[in-house]
Amino acid sequence: MTDTALREAVLDRLDEVDRAVASGEPETLLPVAREDLYRLTEALRALLDQHRPGENGRCPSCHGTRSRPWPCVVWLAGHM
């Protein structure tokens, strides 16, 4: 799978979840909740784990000219 195809597949699935939530219909929402909530929370946990602060208190995963101070943007977005 190409990077573009993977990106589109992930974004399409997130759009499907958003539509199910917006519908508010239990028969639409319940299957999505059963199937996707666990996968979404596991994915967020894995992402946050990759952005733990290093020994220097900075995020080693946020590259640039130097690592970013912790909490990095990933943790800030996860806190929303």
Side-chain angles (χ1 to χ4, degrees):
M1 180 176 279
T2 67
D3 291 346
T4 301
L6 176 62
R7 182 178 183 282
E8 287 178 9
V10 169
L11 293 176
D12 287 347
R13 188 62 189 145
L14 291 173
D15 287 343
E16 288 176 26
V17 172
D18 284 344
R19 284 191 296 275
V21 170
S23 81
E25 298 295 326
E27 62 275 0
T28 302
L29 191 53
L30 189 57
V32 170
R34 284 187 177 139
E35 181 179 333
D36 289 319
L37 284 179
Y38 175 76
R39 291 187 334 195
L40 288 170
T41 59
E42 286 300 305
L44 182 56
R45 281 186 185 94
L47 181 62
L48 292 173
D49 190 50
Q50 292 176 359
H51 288 266
R52 298 183 291 220
E55 290 180 11
N56 62 357
R58 301 179 77 76
C59 179
S61 294
C62 289
H63 297 158
T65 55
R66 57 188 176 157
S67 59
R68 304 284 183 205
W70 198 89
C72 67
V73 295
V74 172
W75 273 87
L76 294 173
H79 184 261
M80 295 173 98

